[in-house]
Amino acid sequence: MKVHHLRNATLVIETQRQVILVDPMLSKKGTSAPFTLFRFKPRKNPLVDLPANAYDILEKVTHCLITHLHPDHIDDEGVAFLKERNIPVVCSALDVAKLKKKGLNVTETLEYGETKDYLGGSISGVKAVHGYGFVKHIAGNVMGYHLALPDEKSIYISSDTVYTEHVDKALKQYKPDITVLAAGMAQLDFGKPLLMNSDDLVKFVQNSPKHVFANHMESLNHCPNTRADLKKLLNKHGLLEKVDIPNDGDFVSY
């Protein structure tokens, strides 16, 4: 299995049989409004363009998983890409109506805690909580996924979440070979962080059974945690060797 990091939370899982796109944010640099105006510098999003090799990788895509409807996970360009190719989409049962209204080919939906047959293996929905305190109610619902395909490493895409009992259970129950961690520490102009703080990032890595793939950094103006910051934090706790922190356009073979 190869896991390609394109930008932010957009990744591609390349297996022997399928190429699965996750959360396509495909817009050009600086085409969307900032997510914060005061807490962090109000730069337009995305902060960077897609890497040059992204389009070659995207041409191979056969399936798609969408964790939630925020524009940094599925934007207009992502919708257009999926519609043009009629890519089969998996999403949360809470999001299916809105995605079908956009014209997407939703072929499977999941409730939190539900497991279904998928591509000869299985896919499970894991509840994600997008923030601490009241901000989680504003952020809305998010679905994480555990994917177990034949003759491949299992992978848990935790998506935009803080560390909760749902995340803890997924790590311990599924024992995934690869865990995907949103490590950007996103914050709005008000309220507590939308993603895991440093203590929870460390806990997630410590409790991940094997490999961790860190993303959601250096692409949006409300995500202050950089790759260098994350490496420093992990090194402090003796966890750096356990975590892959790819640059945009890189892939990791598992």
Side-chain angles (χ1 to χ4, degrees):
M1 176 184 286
K2 288 182 181 178
V3 182
H4 299 266
H5 173 66
L6 299 191
R7 179 183 61 187
N8 191 49
T10 304
L11 59 89
V12 174
I13 302 166
E14 184 175 359
T15 73
Q16 299 173 60
R17 299 178 183 87
Q18 293 91 19
V19 180
I20 304 167
L21 172 64
V22 180
D23 285 354
M25 178 184 70
L26 306 181
S27 53
K28 293 183 178 180
K29 175 183 175 182
T31 53
S32 300
F35 286 123
T36 68
L37 298 174
F38 309 111
R39 180 168 266 168
F40 305 115
K41 186 177 178 180
R43 294 181 290 169
K44 287 189 175 182
N45 292 308
L47 303 181
V48 295
D49 272 317
L50 285 167
N53 64 342
Y55 302 98
D56 290 335
I57 298 166
L58 289 168
E59 283 299 319
K60 299 188 287 185
V61 166
T62 59
H63 297 78
C64 179
L65 309 179
I66 296 175
T67 66
H68 62 301
L69 302 183
H70 289 173
D72 58 321
H73 290 258
I74 175 76
D75 59 8
D76 290 344
E77 288 76 5
V79 168
F81 173 84
L82 296 173
K83 286 176 64 176
E84 179 183 343
R85 291 160 177 79
N86 199 34
I87 300 293
V89 170
V90 176
C91 70
S92 165
L94 297 171
D95 293 333
V96 60
K98 290 181 179 179
L99 290 175
K100 283 189 172 181
K101 190 173 181 180
K102 292 177 183 288
L104 297 191
N105 178 25
V106 179
T107 57
E108 194 66 81
T109 65
L110 288 166
E111 302 283 354
Y112 295 135
E114 185 177 20
T115 298
K116 289 186 175 181
D117 294 338
Y118 185 64
L119 302 178
S122 66
I123 189 168
S124 303
V126 181
K127 184 175 178 61
V129 177
H130 200 344
Y132 301 95
F134 78 88
V135 74
K136 68 186 176 188
H137 302 294
I138 298 168
N141 62 281
V142 183
M143 175 76 79
Y145 297 104
H146 177 261
L147 187 62
L149 299 179
D151 306 314
E152 300 288 350
K153 303 288 189 185
S154 61
I155 184 168
Y156 167 41
I157 303 156
S158 60
S159 190
D160 284 14
T161 189
V162 299
Y163 198 98
T164 66
E165 67 272 20
H166 310 288
V167 172
D168 192 71
K169 181 180 178 181
L171 295 174
K172 294 172 181 176
Q173 175 181 330
Y174 298 123
K175 297 180 173 60
D177 296 303
I178 307 156
T179 58
V180 179
L181 172 63
M185 296 188 184
Q187 298 178 67
L188 300 176
D189 282 328
F190 55 88
K192 295 181 180 180
L194 293 160
L195 298 175
M196 294 186 205
N197 59 27
S198 58
D199 289 343
D200 278 354
L201 290 174
V202 169
K203 187 189 299 184
F204 184 97
V205 175
Q206 288 173 331
N207 289 338
S208 291
K210 295 181 181 178
H211 307 283
V212 181
F213 185 97
N215 65 5
H216 215 307
M217 290 175 287
E218 299 184 39
S219 299
L220 303 168
N221 88 300
H222 71 324
C223 292
N225 202 38
T226 66
R227 292 176 174 92
D229 293 334
L230 181 61
K231 288 176 182 177
K232 184 177 179 181
L233 174 67
L234 295 170
N235 192 52
K236 177 182 175 183
H237 293 272
L239 295 169
L240 187 55
E241 290 187 1
K242 193 175 181 180
V243 183
D244 295 301
I245 309 174
N247 292 314
D248 295 354
D250 287 352
F251 69 85
V252 181
S253 292
Y254 295 102

